[in-house]
Amino acid sequence: RGWITRRHVFAFRRARAKRYRMQLYPLWRHARTLLAYRSRFWKLIDGSGFLHLVLLEDELKRLWEILNVDFKALASSKMTDDLVDEYTAGASSSVYKKYQLVQGMLDKSMEEERKKRKKEKKTEGLKKGDSSHHRQEKELVAIFPAEFGANENRGNKARNQALRQATDQLSEEKMQIYEKLDTLSDKKALAEVYSLFGIQMTEKQKKQRFIEAIWETYYPDQSMNAYFALFPKTSENDDLGA
């Protein structure tokens, strides 16, 4: 019986950790989180132990605060009606319940974007499909209060200002990546980095496409590996504040 209980608890933690990790990446994008931070954090949470769950929950809470998520508004919206799964019943974790509210918001936004892109492609007569193996958004659509600069009280002003500063820092980081791609002398290593996102060395504007892909991709392992390949010393440092 003890073995069965431990097995159930392990499966429970693993499933919840997977859900948390899947939400982290879109939140990082909306919060304009630097790739250096994202890559080091992603390396730290490669597991489903109790410590990994704590780190994941703390990071989610940090991002929700940055983005100024209005949980009262989400809780009263209809998008939460179907947010019930086998891990919800009896859940005592307020973090998990908040995760569900935010996930419902993200899912709704993604569905609206899919419909919009489908309509645009049909209108413009564009070909369906994408030859590249990574999913990439054309633009980041604002959905969180901090992105809109809403509710300009003192606390929210500080968060909105932090988001603007993060946007500037992210632009600087993208420039660093561009310069690294331009100066990397090992062509074989460079080709391997490009190949992580299905980009060929012979392609035009490959640097710009790579920079967009490494930040916007929904495959965080590729993003982390590409960043560490370009900046190997950062992989040796687990200090998220550095």
Side-chain angles (χ1 to χ4, degrees):
R1 178 176 295 180
W3 179 81
I4 294 175
T5 300
R6 289 194 298 271
R7 183 179 178 184
H8 177 75
V9 170
F10 174 77
F12 181 91
R13 286 202 311 260
R14 183 174 58 184
R16 184 166 289 190
K18 180 179 179 181
R19 285 164 169 78
Y20 286 165
R21 282 194 292 266
M22 289 179 67
Q23 186 175 112
L24 268 186
Y25 228 68
L27 292 183
W28 275 337
R29 293 183 67 228
H30 284 282
R32 281 71 171 174
T33 304
L34 294 177
L35 284 163
Y37 177 94
R38 285 160 42 169
S39 299
R40 289 197 294 267
F41 188 92
W42 197 255
K43 185 179 71 170
L44 288 176
I45 59 168
D46 186 19
S48 56
F50 177 75
L51 179 59
H52 294 102
L53 275 181
V54 172
L55 288 172
L56 285 165
E57 289 188 344
D58 285 346
E59 181 66 3
L60 286 176
K61 288 186 287 187
R62 185 185 75 86
L63 292 167
W64 295 337
E65 182 177 0
I66 289 173
L67 295 168
N68 195 23
V69 178
D70 188 344
F71 287 105
K72 288 185 178 180
L74 290 179
S76 62
S77 67
K78 293 183 179 180
M79 72 175 65
T80 63
D81 291 348
D82 300 325
L83 292 179
V84 178
D85 57 35
E86 60 181 305
Y87 300 97
T88 306
S92 59
S93 172
S94 61
V95 175
Y96 187 68
K97 292 176 182 178
K98 288 181 177 179
Y99 149 82
Q100 289 183 299
L101 293 174
V102 175
Q103 193 59 47
M105 182 180 185
L106 289 169
D107 290 343
K108 181 180 179 181
S109 174
M110 290 180 65
E111 180 61 27
E112 290 175 350
E113 277 300 298
R114 278 194 290 266
K115 291 179 179 179
K116 180 181 177 181
R117 290 197 300 272
K118 185 177 181 180
K119 183 177 180 180
E120 289 176 348
K121 285 184 178 182
K122 185 176 181 181
T123 302
E124 297 173 5
L126 298 177
K127 295 181 180 180
K128 294 183 178 180
D130 187 352
S131 59
S132 63
H133 74 281
H134 66 277
R135 266 180 70 192
Q136 180 176 329
E137 301 290 344
K138 290 184 178 180
E139 60 179 325
L140 183 62
V141 179
I143 61 174
F144 292 101
E147 295 178 283
F148 293 110
N151 302 321
E152 292 288 344
N153 59 42
R154 180 175 298 178
N156 291 338
K157 281 184 178 180
R159 282 190 283 270
N160 298 338
Q161 178 64 25
L163 199 60
R164 285 192 289 269
Q165 291 177 350
T167 301
D168 293 338
Q169 292 173 347
L170 186 63
S171 297
E172 293 177 4
E173 186 181 59
K174 288 183 177 181
M175 182 58 66
Q176 292 175 352
I177 295 173
Y178 189 95
E179 292 174 351
K180 187 68 174 180
L181 293 171
D182 204 36
T183 58
L184 190 61
S185 58
D186 189 338
K187 300 303 179 184
K188 182 179 179 181
L190 186 61
E192 290 177 353
V193 169
Y194 278 128
S195 68
L196 288 170
F197 301 103
I199 301 173
Q200 302 297 321
M201 289 286 286
T202 55
E203 291 186 33
K204 294 182 179 179
Q205 298 183 331
K206 55 182 177 292
K207 295 185 185 71
Q208 183 61 36
R209 184 182 167 195
F210 176 88
I211 291 171
E212 293 174 354
I214 194 175
W215 188 65
E216 296 180 356
T217 181
Y218 279 82
Y219 295 95
D221 288 330
Q222 280 94 322
S223 180
M224 178 188 70
N225 291 333
Y227 187 83
F228 285 157
L230 292 175
F231 305 98
K233 289 185 178 181
T234 60
S235 65
E236 303 170 2
N237 184 6
D238 291 336
D239 184 3
L240 298 176

